[in-house]
Amino acid sequence: MGSSSSNMDHIPDAQHLMQETGFSAAHLVRLYERFDFLDKDDRGELRLDDFEAVSELAMNPIGDRIIRAFFSPGRETVDFPSFVRILAHFRPTDTNRTRNGRNGAQPEPANSRTNKLKFAFQLYDQDRDGKISREELLQVLRAMLEMQVTEEQLQSIAERAIQEADLDLDDTISFDEFKKSLEKVDIEHKMSIRFLE
Amino acid sequence: MPSRTGSHSPAGFGKSLPERGLLLLMVLVFLEGSVLPLGAASSPDTSHQTNLGDHQGTHTGPNSTKKPFPVLAVEYDRVQIPFEISLWVLLASLMKLGFHLIPRLSSIVPESCLLIVVGLLVGGLIKLAGEEVPPVLDSRLFFLCLLPPIILDAGYFLPIRPFMENLGTILMFAVVGTLWNAFFIGGVLYGVAQIQPANPSDLHQLELLPCLLFGSIISAVDPVAVLAVFEEIHINELLHILVFGESLLNDAVTVVLYHLFEEYAGVGTVTLLDGVLGVISFFVVALGGVLVGAIYGILAAFTSRFTSHTRVIEPLFVFVYSYMAYLSAEIFHLSGIMALIACGAVMRPYVEANISHKSHTTIKYFLKMWSSVSETLIFIFLGVATVDGPHAWNWTFVTVTVILCLVARVIGVVGLTYVINKFRIVKLTTKDQFIIAYGGLRGAIAFSLGFLLNQDHFPMRKMFLTAIITVIFFTVFVQGMTIKPLVELLAVKKKQEAKRSINEEIHTQFLDHLLTGIEDICGHYGHHHWKDKLNRFNKKYVKKCLIAGERSKEPQLIAFYHKMEMKQAIELVESGGGVKLPSAMPSTVSMQNIQPKKPPPAKPVERVLPQLPKGREEEIRKILRSNLQRTRQRLRSYNRHTLVADPYEDGFSDLLIKKQRMVELEKKMSNYLTVPAAPPDSPTMCRARLASDPQAYSMKPVSDSVPTIQVDLASPQSPDSVNLLDEFRHAGQQQPEVEDQGLMMKPPSGPSGPNKPREADEARDQQKLMRCLSDPGPSADEDEDEPEKIKKKKSH
């Protein structure tokens, strides 16, 4: 794998990143190698076509949304720190960290339950207005169900979903409502990749 | 026994229900106790002797003096065996009934304990009567008849997702844990036996191999006992699946160890080669069992694809294929339990997509019924077998065994959890570990395995049996009774009862895709990646083969949505269409028709819908009435091959088809169409009527103000309905033209046209009602011109 120390030098701001995201040095190196691999023309940053080169993403119904999530609004490229920060959301939650005397002094880590959910929420909420409108939900359903259903069926499902979740009756799903509808799902388990442990 | 009216009133009527129940129980226990020895005494178990007796009876007729013709004769021998079996089953079921009648008993003492006590009582009674206790826990009876229903029930309803997610943990506990237990217990027992002080203890005879065999028998956690106890404590899903999964999967280990040691106990040594062969044998047994089960599962799924015309025997296929899987696995000494689980788990998604709603209910209820009776019988038989013996009590052996079981379990669980937690995302806490260790109950499987031992090879068999029974009693009584208070005390998370909402379903799928994508970006072929691949494979190839018709293309989300809608509709009916309605029910229609006397209640708050002008409603009703009544006149005969239309299912799709045609017709006539639903009676009445008399759909004529719809009693074979169904299928899949009346769902606030929203709203909600409420009556007038238009429509 190469000596990690030499690789670490390539990584800009490694210590800071490690602290911010909670990744260990070994993980950071691994992620950097992956970043390097994806970065086909060695620019030090990833562009849209680099992501699209990952073949499996093409088959993924929400592949384009995931790719877009890596790009901060307005920017065309993804540098390594942004890459790592996004992936930090999928680190398994450290249960011990959250309990001992950590008051509001430090911001919640990226892989806390709320932040994981926030990331998922943002994938639904494309226009970033903080709410999932019916149209946005329909788009997601359309993407996931991939032409196997009629428009009416989609509409009904969307309607049903909003009815169930929408507690303040504004016909959209806010982040809190989103969180509430998923309270029974084990998000810490579901949204974690062991690779990133 | 607390009693409201005084427990010793002379008249029986004053006694409260639990008392009566108890009295009944006592009577039955005595009856049971007295009949069985009678049966045992009147004829020995050999059937040929009874035949002989019969023959003699008939032959002596002409030769001896003529006896008067017996008006009433008693011939018990002929029916003895089925009679006794039925009596046992009846006893078991009545016991089960009785326990729940007694108010607080069932919450303190788990059912399994009570049943064992009953078994002890019955066994005691039989012994008191001086008769031979029937060998009820005969291993063949147990393994071939009593065990499979329980395992099938567990396997068919196994929650696949948590099982697969925790498979690694479960396997570790099942395989490594059981091995550890077996060797530890066996080894230490042997050591203890050897170091016995020199009084000529029996224990000195005990060799290593029988000890290890005993260890392997006693170490396996028993699924029956675990199910019985855990079912009552409603523990959270993770712990439940861990302990239960372990109890199922350790069967393979037990089978291999048992056969290994049993084979070689006679010889006296086990070489390294045998050990290696044993390991290989383990893989063969486990994977072979799963393979056999999977094959039968696929066969069952494939068969169910073609059962749309003979719905009555659908459940039979499920049961028979599963049982065959079990038996086939047992032929080759593979793990029958794993075969059964694999069969149930594999066939379930496909079978459920193919079979009718009624068959699904039938399967569910039959499985629950059989497994419940089996479980009850097993525990009662355990009690009886305890009384029977044969026993050889040895203080040292028994106490050491009990202690060792506990100790080994605790050490095993703690040690394994330490290793497992390194690989788990959600770690197991100490509380979890405690429950897992404490939940390691032993049960009847251990006893039956011990019973199977050959007395000649294993002179210590009686001692083994006694020890096994003691351990079983200890775990079931002590651990079974105390686990509930301990769960409360430790505040272990309980099971969350709620149903899955559609939001959860959507978001979970979304997250699955998200995680798969992230894994692909990271270049990591993890859990989600393979699950995704499996799903794709399933969708592309497997579903096409195994699911009938168009449902093979139905995405999971849609299937889930349909199920939810159906459930909600059924709930609506069962609640009597009461005042509180779920969202989006139009008040114009529902309330008026369900409770004709009450004034329509206030509109539901959530979605206020516009009402239809009266004139239009009239037209619509007329059209519907006429059209539907015509089709109704066709089918009158009822036989077993034509099922009554299930309004929740068959009728409903017919109704929707008709509705679709009506709508198309309406389009042509450019009218607005909504479908008022209209049972004149309350839903419960309708249902009762339906259930009792399939032909009696002629209800009293309803006043004109109440629109009516008739249910078509079309059998699945009636040509018309088939066409309709096919049409429906075609229609449902057509290009999503916005005009198309996708019957199943309509957008309540659709985007197109001002007419659409009202119509669609009403339509969809009507659908809901129509789906549930079945019987309208015929009405007096019919329009003659309408049917012709309908006829014209039908021609294309």
Side-chain angles (χ1 to χ4, degrees), chain A residues 150-172:
Chain A
T150 63
E151 190 62 30
E152 284 81 11
Q153 287 176 321
L154 281 178
Q155 298 276 3
S156 314
I157 296 181
E159 175 61 27
R160 176 90 195 217
I162 291 191
Q163 262 175 32
E164 257 181 19
D166 190 14
L167 302 166
D168 55 5
L169 299 177
D170 60 354
D171 214 28
T172 61

PDB file of all heavy atoms in Angstrom, chain A residues 150-172:
ATOM      1  N   THR A 150     -47.796   3.659 -13.965  1.00  0.00           N
ATOM      2  CA  THR A 150     -48.467   4.760 -14.642  1.00  0.00           C
ATOM      3  C   THR A 150     -48.332   6.034 -13.815  1.00  0.00           C
ATOM      4  O   THR A 150     -48.021   5.983 -12.626  1.00  0.00           O
ATOM      5  CB  THR A 150     -49.953   4.464 -14.818  1.00  0.00           C
ATOM      6  OG1 THR A 150     -50.536   4.363 -13.515  1.00  0.00           O
ATOM      7  CG2 THR A 150     -50.169   3.188 -15.574  1.00  0.00           C
ATOM      8  N   GLU A 151     -48.592   7.117 -14.475  1.00  0.00           N
ATOM      9  CA  GLU A 151     -48.488   8.407 -13.810  1.00  0.00           C
ATOM     10  C   GLU A 151     -49.466   8.507 -12.650  1.00  0.00           C
ATOM     11  O   GLU A 151     -49.154   9.068 -11.602  1.00  0.00           O
ATOM     12  CB  GLU A 151     -48.747   9.494 -14.858  1.00  0.00           C
ATOM     13  CG  GLU A 151     -48.446  10.883 -14.375  1.00  0.00           C
ATOM     14  CD  GLU A 151     -46.979  11.064 -14.019  1.00  0.00           C
ATOM     15  OE1 GLU A 151     -46.120  10.410 -14.624  1.00  0.00           O
ATOM     16  OE2 GLU A 151     -46.706  11.858 -13.106  1.00  0.00           O
ATOM     17  N   GLU A 152     -50.642   7.914 -12.857  1.00  0.00           N
ATOM     18  CA  GLU A 152     -51.635   8.004 -11.781  1.00  0.00           C
ATOM     19  C   GLU A 152     -51.157   7.289 -10.541  1.00  0.00           C
ATOM     20  O   GLU A 152     -51.361   7.745  -9.414  1.00  0.00           O
ATOM     21  CB  GLU A 152     -52.963   7.388 -12.207  1.00  0.00           C
ATOM     22  CG  GLU A 152     -53.768   8.245 -13.143  1.00  0.00           C
ATOM     23  CD  GLU A 152     -53.257   8.103 -14.556  1.00  0.00           C
ATOM     24  OE1 GLU A 152     -52.445   7.193 -14.801  1.00  0.00           O
ATOM     25  OE2 GLU A 152     -53.675   8.903 -15.387  1.00  0.00           O
ATOM     26  N   GLN A 153     -50.564   6.145 -10.758  1.00  0.00           N
ATOM     27  CA  GLN A 153     -50.087   5.403  -9.603  1.00  0.00           C
ATOM     28  C   GLN A 153     -49.052   6.216  -8.848  1.00  0.00           C
ATOM     29  O   GLN A 153     -49.052   6.270  -7.625  1.00  0.00           O
ATOM     30  CB  GLN A 153     -49.489   4.064 -10.046  1.00  0.00           C
ATOM     31  CG  GLN A 153     -50.544   3.079 -10.488  1.00  0.00           C
ATOM     32  CD  GLN A 153     -49.947   1.796 -11.014  1.00  0.00           C
ATOM     33  OE1 GLN A 153     -48.943   1.824 -11.700  1.00  0.00           O
ATOM     34  NE2 GLN A 153     -50.567   0.690 -10.705  1.00  0.00           N
ATOM     35  N   LEU A 154     -48.170   6.837  -9.603  1.00  0.00           N
ATOM     36  CA  LEU A 154     -47.160   7.663  -8.957  1.00  0.00           C
ATOM     37  C   LEU A 154     -47.803   8.769  -8.156  1.00  0.00           C
ATOM     38  O   LEU A 154     -47.416   9.040  -7.021  1.00  0.00           O
ATOM     39  CB  LEU A 154     -46.253   8.292 -10.015  1.00  0.00           C
ATOM     40  CG  LEU A 154     -45.167   7.416 -10.594  1.00  0.00           C
ATOM     41  CD1 LEU A 154     -44.410   8.192 -11.639  1.00  0.00           C
ATOM     42  CD2 LEU A 154     -44.218   6.978  -9.509  1.00  0.00           C
ATOM     43  N   GLN A 155     -48.779   9.396  -8.772  1.00  0.00           N
ATOM     44  CA  GLN A 155     -49.435  10.494  -8.077  1.00  0.00           C
ATOM     45  C   GLN A 155     -50.065  10.010  -6.783  1.00  0.00           C
ATOM     46  O   GLN A 155     -49.981  10.663  -5.752  1.00  0.00           O
ATOM     47  CB  GLN A 155     -50.519  11.092  -8.972  1.00  0.00           C
ATOM     48  CG  GLN A 155     -50.016  11.687 -10.268  1.00  0.00           C
ATOM     49  CD  GLN A 155     -49.544  13.101 -10.077  1.00  0.00           C
ATOM     50  OE1 GLN A 155     -49.548  13.626  -8.967  1.00  0.00           O
ATOM     51  NE2 GLN A 155     -49.143  13.739 -11.149  1.00  0.00           N
ATOM     52  N   SER A 156     -50.695   8.849  -6.871  1.00  0.00           N
ATOM     53  CA  SER A 156     -51.358   8.352  -5.665  1.00  0.00           C
ATOM     54  C   SER A 156     -50.364   8.049  -4.570  1.00  0.00           C
ATOM     55  O   SER A 156     -50.590   8.371  -3.409  1.00  0.00           O
ATOM     56  CB  SER A 156     -52.126   7.068  -5.961  1.00  0.00           C
ATOM     57  OG  SER A 156     -52.867   7.207  -7.117  1.00  0.00           O
ATOM     58  N   ILE A 157     -49.275   7.437  -4.962  1.00  0.00           N
ATOM     59  CA  ILE A 157     -48.288   7.108  -3.939  1.00  0.00           C
ATOM     60  C   ILE A 157     -47.738   8.378  -3.315  1.00  0.00           C
ATOM     61  O   ILE A 157     -47.609   8.483  -2.090  1.00  0.00           O
ATOM     62  CB  ILE A 157     -47.142   6.273  -4.539  1.00  0.00           C
ATOM     63  CG1 ILE A 157     -47.667   4.949  -5.024  1.00  0.00           C
ATOM     64  CG2 ILE A 157     -46.054   6.058  -3.511  1.00  0.00           C
ATOM     65  CD1 ILE A 157     -46.600   4.075  -5.594  1.00  0.00           C
ATOM     66  N   ALA A 158     -47.434   9.349  -4.181  1.00  0.00           N
ATOM     67  CA  ALA A 158     -46.897  10.596  -3.647  1.00  0.00           C
ATOM     68  C   ALA A 158     -47.895  11.251  -2.716  1.00  0.00           C
ATOM     69  O   ALA A 158     -47.544  11.728  -1.631  1.00  0.00           O
ATOM     70  CB  ALA A 158     -46.522  11.529  -4.797  1.00  0.00           C
ATOM     71  N   GLU A 159     -49.129  11.239  -3.144  1.00  0.00           N
ATOM     72  CA  GLU A 159     -50.174  11.837  -2.316  1.00  0.00           C
ATOM     73  C   GLU A 159     -50.260  11.150  -0.975  1.00  0.00           C
ATOM     74  O   GLU A 159     -50.339  11.778   0.075  1.00  0.00           O
ATOM     75  CB  GLU A 159     -51.505  11.715  -3.064  1.00  0.00           C
ATOM     76  CG  GLU A 159     -52.702  12.174  -2.289  1.00  0.00           C
ATOM     77  CD  GLU A 159     -52.610  13.634  -1.907  1.00  0.00           C
ATOM     78  OE1 GLU A 159     -51.929  14.382  -2.630  1.00  0.00           O
ATOM     79  OE2 GLU A 159     -53.190  14.014  -0.884  1.00  0.00           O
ATOM     80  N   ARG A 160     -50.248   9.838  -1.034  1.00  0.00           N
ATOM     81  CA  ARG A 160     -50.340   9.055   0.194  1.00  0.00           C
ATOM     82  C   ARG A 160     -49.166   9.335   1.116  1.00  0.00           C
ATOM     83  O   ARG A 160     -49.309   9.508   2.317  1.00  0.00           O
ATOM     84  CB  ARG A 160     -50.344   7.588  -0.202  1.00  0.00           C
ATOM     85  CG  ARG A 160     -50.337   6.662   0.932  1.00  0.00           C
ATOM     86  CD  ARG A 160     -51.705   6.349   1.313  1.00  0.00           C
ATOM     87  NE  ARG A 160     -51.695   5.749   2.618  1.00  0.00           N
ATOM     88  CZ  ARG A 160     -52.484   4.799   2.966  1.00  0.00           C
ATOM     89  NH1 ARG A 160     -53.327   4.332   2.093  1.00  0.00           N
ATOM     90  NH2 ARG A 160     -52.449   4.326   4.176  1.00  0.00           N
ATOM     91  N   ALA A 161     -47.996   9.410   0.509  1.00  0.00           N
ATOM     92  CA  ALA A 161     -46.794   9.624   1.320  1.00  0.00           C
ATOM     93  C   ALA A 161     -46.858  10.973   2.008  1.00  0.00           C
ATOM     94  O   ALA A 161     -46.552  11.102   3.194  1.00  0.00           O
ATOM     95  CB  ALA A 161     -45.546   9.522   0.453  1.00  0.00           C
ATOM     96  N   ILE A 162     -47.284  11.973   1.259  1.00  0.00           N
ATOM     97  CA  ILE A 162     -47.331  13.304   1.859  1.00  0.00           C
ATOM     98  C   ILE A 162     -48.403  13.351   2.938  1.00  0.00           C
ATOM     99  O   ILE A 162     -48.196  13.921   4.013  1.00  0.00           O
ATOM    100  CB  ILE A 162     -47.571  14.357   0.770  1.00  0.00           C
ATOM    101  CG1 ILE A 162     -46.325  14.438  -0.091  1.00  0.00           C
ATOM    102  CG2 ILE A 162     -47.890  15.696   1.392  1.00  0.00           C
ATOM    103  CD1 ILE A 162     -46.289  15.582  -1.017  1.00  0.00           C
ATOM    104  N   GLN A 163     -49.509  12.719   2.671  1.00  0.00           N
ATOM    105  CA  GLN A 163     -50.561  12.697   3.691  1.00  0.00           C
ATOM    106  C   GLN A 163     -50.068  12.110   4.988  1.00  0.00           C
ATOM    107  O   GLN A 163     -50.365  12.590   6.064  1.00  0.00           O
ATOM    108  CB  GLN A 163     -51.712  11.828   3.208  1.00  0.00           C
ATOM    109  CG  GLN A 163     -52.827  12.602   2.608  1.00  0.00           C
ATOM    110  CD  GLN A 163     -53.850  11.649   2.063  1.00  0.00           C
ATOM    111  OE1 GLN A 163     -54.031  10.560   2.612  1.00  0.00           O
ATOM    112  NE2 GLN A 163     -54.520  12.040   1.024  1.00  0.00           N
ATOM    113  N   GLU A 164     -49.304  11.036   4.847  1.00  0.00           N
ATOM    114  CA  GLU A 164     -48.845  10.353   6.046  1.00  0.00           C
ATOM    115  C   GLU A 164     -47.864  11.186   6.819  1.00  0.00           C
ATOM    116  O   GLU A 164     -47.870  11.200   8.037  1.00  0.00           O
ATOM    117  CB  GLU A 164     -48.146   9.060   5.649  1.00  0.00           C
ATOM    118  CG  GLU A 164     -48.965   7.849   5.865  1.00  0.00           C
ATOM    119  CD  GLU A 164     -48.169   6.626   5.473  1.00  0.00           C
ATOM    120  OE1 GLU A 164     -46.935   6.714   5.403  1.00  0.00           O
ATOM    121  OE2 GLU A 164     -48.783   5.603   5.226  1.00  0.00           O
ATOM    122  N   ALA A 165     -46.967  11.832   6.084  1.00  0.00           N
ATOM    123  CA  ALA A 165     -45.858  12.479   6.784  1.00  0.00           C
ATOM    124  C   ALA A 165     -46.146  13.920   7.150  1.00  0.00           C
ATOM    125  O   ALA A 165     -45.574  14.447   8.094  1.00  0.00           O
ATOM    126  CB  ALA A 165     -44.599  12.416   5.921  1.00  0.00           C
ATOM    127  N   ASP A 166     -47.002  14.533   6.400  1.00  0.00           N
ATOM    128  CA  ASP A 166     -47.163  15.976   6.550  1.00  0.00           C
ATOM    129  C   ASP A 166     -47.999  16.298   7.775  1.00  0.00           C
ATOM    130  O   ASP A 166     -49.218  16.185   7.761  1.00  0.00           O
ATOM    131  CB  ASP A 166     -47.842  16.496   5.284  1.00  0.00           C
ATOM    132  CG  ASP A 166     -47.817  18.008   5.242  1.00  0.00           C
ATOM    133  OD1 ASP A 166     -47.051  18.594   6.028  1.00  0.00           O
ATOM    134  OD2 ASP A 166     -48.551  18.564   4.439  1.00  0.00           O
ATOM    135  N   LEU A 167     -47.355  16.680   8.815  1.00  0.00           N
ATOM    136  CA  LEU A 167     -48.084  16.912  10.052  1.00  0.00           C
ATOM    137  C   LEU A 167     -48.597  18.327  10.170  1.00  0.00           C
ATOM    138  O   LEU A 167     -49.602  18.575  10.818  1.00  0.00           O
ATOM    139  CB  LEU A 167     -47.175  16.595  11.248  1.00  0.00           C
ATOM    140  CG  LEU A 167     -46.651  15.178  11.221  1.00  0.00           C
ATOM    141  CD1 LEU A 167     -45.507  15.010  12.196  1.00  0.00           C
ATOM    142  CD2 LEU A 167     -47.766  14.222  11.575  1.00  0.00           C
ATOM    143  N   ASP A 168     -47.879  19.277   9.572  1.00  0.00           N
ATOM    144  CA  ASP A 168     -48.347  20.659   9.717  1.00  0.00           C
ATOM    145  C   ASP A 168     -49.186  21.083   8.533  1.00  0.00           C
ATOM    146  O   ASP A 168     -49.521  22.249   8.385  1.00  0.00           O
ATOM    147  CB  ASP A 168     -47.168  21.610   9.922  1.00  0.00           C
ATOM    148  CG  ASP A 168     -46.146  21.474   8.814  1.00  0.00           C
ATOM    149  OD1 ASP A 168     -46.401  20.721   7.850  1.00  0.00           O
ATOM    150  OD2 ASP A 168     -45.083  22.110   8.917  1.00  0.00           O
ATOM    151  N   LEU A 169     -49.500  20.099   7.680  1.00  0.00           N
ATOM    152  CA  LEU A 169     -50.491  20.313   6.630  1.00  0.00           C
ATOM    153  C   LEU A 169     -50.120  21.432   5.662  1.00  0.00           C
ATOM    154  O   LEU A 169     -50.983  22.181   5.220  1.00  0.00           O
ATOM    155  CB  LEU A 169     -51.862  20.611   7.244  1.00  0.00           C
ATOM    156  CG  LEU A 169     -52.409  19.478   8.114  1.00  0.00           C
ATOM    157  CD1 LEU A 169     -53.712  19.912   8.726  1.00  0.00           C
ATOM    158  CD2 LEU A 169     -52.605  18.228   7.301  1.00  0.00           C
ATOM    159  N   ASP A 170     -48.842  21.526   5.380  1.00  0.00           N
ATOM    160  CA  ASP A 170     -48.495  22.544   4.383  1.00  0.00           C
ATOM    161  C   ASP A 170     -48.205  21.914   3.039  1.00  0.00           C
ATOM    162  O   ASP A 170     -47.628  22.557   2.172  1.00  0.00           O
ATOM    163  CB  ASP A 170     -47.279  23.355   4.857  1.00  0.00           C
ATOM    164  CG  ASP A 170     -46.072  22.460   5.054  1.00  0.00           C
ATOM    165  OD1 ASP A 170     -46.201  21.223   4.942  1.00  0.00           O
ATOM    166  OD2 ASP A 170     -44.988  23.002   5.330  1.00  0.00           O
ATOM    167  N   ASP A 171     -48.559  20.661   2.913  1.00  0.00           N
ATOM    168  CA  ASP A 171     -48.451  19.940   1.650  1.00  0.00           C
ATOM    169  C   ASP A 171     -47.002  19.712   1.226  1.00  0.00           C
ATOM    170  O   ASP A 171     -46.733  19.387   0.078  1.00  0.00           O
ATOM    171  CB  ASP A 171     -49.194  20.705   0.539  1.00  0.00           C
ATOM    172  CG  ASP A 171     -49.810  19.709  -0.436  1.00  0.00           C
ATOM    173  OD1 ASP A 171     -50.129  18.584   0.004  1.00  0.00           O
ATOM    174  OD2 ASP A 171     -49.953  20.049  -1.609  1.00  0.00           O
ATOM    175  N   THR A 172     -46.078  19.907   2.112  1.00  0.00           N
ATOM    176  CA  THR A 172     -44.695  19.549   1.813  1.00  0.00           C
ATOM    177  C   THR A 172     -44.136  18.833   3.035  1.00  0.00           C
ATOM    178  O   THR A 172     -44.719  18.895   4.109  1.00  0.00           O
ATOM    179  CB  THR A 172     -43.806  20.775   1.544  1.00  0.00           C
ATOM    180  OG1 THR A 172     -43.815  21.586   2.727  1.00  0.00           O
ATOM    181  CG2 THR A 172     -44.297  21.560   0.366  1.00  0.00           C
TER     182      THR A 172
END
